[in-house]
Amino acid sequence: FDVNTYLRLKPGASITRIQQKLPHLLASINSKTAMPLLRLDEIPLFDGLHPGAKQRLIMAGLVGLLVLFVASVNFINLLTARVARRSAEAGVRKACGADRRQLILQFLCESTVCVFFATCFAVVLCEWLLPPVNAFLATGAALDYWRSPVPMVAIVAGIGALALAVGAYPAFMLSTFRPASAMKGIASRSSGANPIRSMLVALQFSILIALLIGASVIYQQRVYATDEGLHANIDRMLLVRGACSPASGWPCTAAAG
């Protein structure tokens, strides 16, 4: 049997010293079991209680980062595709006295606004899709960003970092055009053959293909584990759960075919 014991330590107590004295305590009562000490926030990812939880969380985080990277690449490609239209605007602003720093700040602010509204839409989707995902995966994940300042600060910091990452390259590229070249349309002719755009598009589609292949393989493995891997015909099998009593001799679970 397993027993979870929760301890409230006094202020200033040393967890290291308590952990060092536990083997002597267990030896004094002739116990051969182990008793590791964990903080409450470490319990959900402890392998002894939840095997593989940390690995699954890391894998889900990597998939989320890849999806975010694909969306960021798509956003950069859309911004750079509008160079032909925005170059004339940059040329007019430079001709009116705007310097390069002001243009970069303008384009970065536009990217920040787009990322902010995208983040709000993503949070709404998470709130809407989290209950069915928890029901499908039998988990109890919650997005309680309003109860603690740490998730809110992380979201705000993520908005700033992502806006800087996706808006830096288009902003610097648009701010380098000279007014005369922008007015003559040289930017529109040179923006088509951009090797960086071609590389980003190829990388984006490579990641998408890899994610689709991975999702297909995981789905086939799940179908095999829940249906084909049982080696039993469960179409006409009924599982009934009810109250059990050792005196009556009735089992807690009965299966009928």
Side-chain angles (χ1 to χ4, degrees), residues 52-185:
K54 185 181 297 184
Q55 289 76 12
R56 291 194 297 268
L57 184 61
I58 293 175
M59 185 60 64
L62 290 177
V63 173
L65 288 177
L66 287 177
V67 174
L68 182 61
F69 178 76
V70 170
S72 301
V73 169
N74 194 18
F75 183 74
I76 293 174
N77 289 331
L78 291 177
L79 288 182
T80 54
R82 298 180 59 190
V83 170
R85 184 182 304 175
R86 302 301 300 273
S87 61
E89 176 188 350
V92 171
R93 288 180 58 86
K94 277 192 173 183
C96 294
D99 56 3
R100 185 179 180 183
R101 183 178 60 183
Q102 293 175 345
L103 291 177
I104 293 176
L105 183 61
Q106 174 193 351
F107 295 132
L108 286 179
C109 289
E110 293 177 359
S111 301
T112 303
V113 172
C114 293
V115 172
F116 173 77
F117 283 106
T119 304
C120 294
F121 183 68
V123 171
V124 172
L125 281 181
C126 287
E127 293 281 357
W128 181 44
L129 296 176
L130 195 57
V133 170
N134 285 332
F136 178 73
L137 298 177
T139 57
L143 189 63
D144 297 336
Y145 55 89
W146 63 87
R147 295 182 181 180
S148 176
V150 177
M152 187 63 66
V153 172
I155 291 175
V156 174
I159 291 175
L162 188 60
L164 183 62
V166 301
Y169 172 68
F172 279 96
M173 186 178 63
L174 287 172
S175 63
T176 55
F177 291 131
R178 296 180 179 179
S181 301
M183 294 301 182
K184 292 179 181 179

